[in-house]
Amino acid sequence: MLASARFSTGRMIEVENLTKRFPTQVAVSDVSFSVREGEIVGFLGPNGAGKTTAMRVITGFLPPTSGTVRVAGYDVVTRSEQARASLGYLPESAALYPEMRVREYLAYRARLEGVHGPDVARRVRESIDSCLLEEVADRKVENLSKGFRQRTALAGALVHQPPVLILDEPTVGLDPTQIIKIRETIRLLGRERAVLLSTHILPEVDAVCDRVLIIDRGAIVAEGTAAELRSRLAGSPIVRASFAGQIDAREPLAGLPGVTAVSEASADGETRVRLECVTGADPREDVFRTAVARGWVLRELVLEAVSLEDVFVRLTRHEEIAPAAAALPQTAEAAAVEDASEEILS
């Protein structure tokens, strides 16, 4: 009943008060979030922030110290087999069998995931089509380019048609053309699945993700759409303009609605101005009209935008490092790697 009730809500990944401790550090501290069906959520964080540890708990590779994680309604601890059967996982360094042909590898993965009989060939065909692998389906994995290997690994994560996908750096090491193709594939897959996407490539988040989670020092520090996060940290709008020649623009522009301060500088035959504005103001049209009325030649007029990179840096920049933390020989992520085997066996 629990699984069906959770499934009906559309929340395919549910993380509630997740904490994961290692001997030297708390890697994840009281983290809660969810991912719904048909949603692609970007999971961002600097190295050592706890991102990889959280993903390992969600995928069942590590047990939580406390808290609850459910995948498709199944608790990853008490109903681990059902939870793992409901997800496809693409790690950053996917393990492939180089001696196998692509089609053979996918059939092998399908059988490992519990697909049987004539369904195996059908699922293999569907995953080959979804990941655009038809031209290399009968090649050995060892003879594939990096891009095709990554797509093969993605197809392996999809072959049992899981409702949840966990993707860790899916485009790392790919060339620009391959990146575009993988992004298009992820967007298509995200229409019918819940996708949690970890990446360090921030433009990828803007291009693919519906929502963003930023984790730092083991805690979620921001959540929302990329536009919401940029808006939240934008502060006072800034408009920059440049005009041909040396003109006195400060006084006319300072009187425009919404403008609180104007700075002016002349160099290289241009007059450049910077307008600080009240929140929500956008005086660009008034600047343009003023330039036309006064006969100024307008060369540039732009409203400064806060990028997702700006948001990420502001939220995860640490001016000071606590002496105790600085003295630790390992980050939480490094400790996670070292202690993973011991945790799983215990």
Side-chain angles (χ1 to χ4, degrees):
M1 292 295 292
L2 175 62
S4 61
R6 290 293 181 182
F7 187 86
S8 65
T9 66
R11 294 181 181 180
M12 302 304 294
I13 301 174
E14 293 178 284
V15 178
E16 297 178 359
N17 308 115
L18 171 63
T19 295
K20 179 62 183 176
R21 293 187 181 92
F22 292 103
T24 59
Q25 203 164 350
V26 177
V28 179
S29 177
D30 198 29
V31 164
S32 298
F33 64 88
S34 64
V35 183
R36 302 180 68 87
E37 183 179 6
E39 184 178 37
I40 303 175
V41 173
F43 197 34
L44 309 180
N47 293 331
K51 181 174 75 271
T52 298
T53 299
M55 295 178 76
R56 285 176 175 164
V57 174
I58 295 170
T59 53
F61 282 89
L62 290 174
T65 302
S66 62
T68 303
V69 177
R70 286 181 287 268
V71 174
Y74 299 108
D75 189 292
V76 298
V77 175
T78 62
R79 305 191 70 179
S80 176
E81 185 175 347
Q82 295 93 331
R84 283 181 289 165
S86 300
L87 63 83
Y89 178 39
L90 176 66
E92 181 176 352
S93 299
L96 297 172
Y97 295 93
E99 72 278 6
M100 281 187 170
R101 301 186 188 278
V102 171
R103 201 183 303 274
E104 293 171 340
Y105 168 74
L106 295 177
Y108 175 66
R109 280 292 301 267
R111 289 190 291 270
L112 283 180
E113 298 288 356
V115 182
H116 302 291
D119 286 341
V120 172
R122 178 173 59 83
R123 296 287 182 84
V124 169
R125 284 196 305 270
E126 290 171 352
S127 61
I128 286 174
D129 290 342
S130 295
C131 297
L132 307 174
L133 289 168
E134 185 59 44
E135 66 180 283
V136 298
D138 296 309
R139 291 186 197 171
K140 288 186 176 181
V141 171
E142 65 185 356
N143 296 325
L144 300 181
S145 67
K146 172 70 173 177
F148 276 121
R149 288 190 186 194
Q150 195 78 339
R151 278 192 253 174
T152 299
L154 179 57
L158 289 170
V159 73
H160 59 300
Q161 295 184 346
V164 176
L165 277 178
I166 310 291
L167 308 177
D168 192 0
E169 302 287 351
T171 60
V172 66
L174 303 186
D175 65 40
T177 301
Q178 294 167 342
I179 288 173
I180 291 171
K181 290 181 179 179
I182 290 290
R183 287 178 182 173
E184 290 172 350
T185 301
I186 294 171
R187 277 196 294 266
L188 290 173
L189 295 172
R191 293 177 182 176
E192 300 176 349
R193 294 173 175 83
V195 180
L196 185 64
L197 169 66
S198 170
T199 180
H200 284 98
I201 305 173
L202 298 185
E204 190 159 270
V205 177
D206 266 328
V208 174
C209 297
D210 303 303
R211 191 159 52 89
V212 181
L213 300 168
I214 299 179
I215 186 171
D216 187 40
R217 293 183 172 179
I220 300 294
V221 296
E223 179 177 359
T225 67
E228 288 171 348
L229 295 182
R230 283 192 291 262
S231 176
R232 215 174 292 166
L233 292 181
S236 299
I238 302 295
V239 170
R240 294 186 183 275
S242 64
F243 306 94
Q246 294 188 359
I247 60 174
D248 184 8
R250 185 194 301 269
E251 186 175 345
L253 298 181
L256 297 180
V259 176
T260 58
V262 178
S263 58
E264 180 181 288
S266 297
D268 301 325
E270 280 189 340
T271 299
R272 299 167 187 161
V273 295
R274 181 178 183 273
L275 285 66
E276 297 181 24
C277 312
V278 299
T279 302
D282 184 356
R284 284 178 294 176
E285 290 187 10
D286 291 328
V287 172
F288 175 77
R289 293 191 185 97
T290 301
V292 172
R294 293 177 175 266
W296 299 339
V297 177
L298 182 63
R299 289 182 172 174
E300 181 184 29
L301 180 60
V302 62
L303 177 66
E304 283 190 353
V306 176
S307 69
L308 191 58
E309 182 177 359
D310 295 329
V311 173
F312 183 82
V313 170
R314 291 185 197 181
L315 290 173
T316 60
R317 181 177 55 203
H318 308 294
E319 301 299 340
E320 296 180 0
I321 299 176
L328 288 176
Q330 294 175 304
T331 65
E333 300 287 39
V337 174
E338 181 175 314
D339 296 311
S341 299
E342 180 181 343
E343 290 278 350
I344 292 171
L345 291 173
S346 64

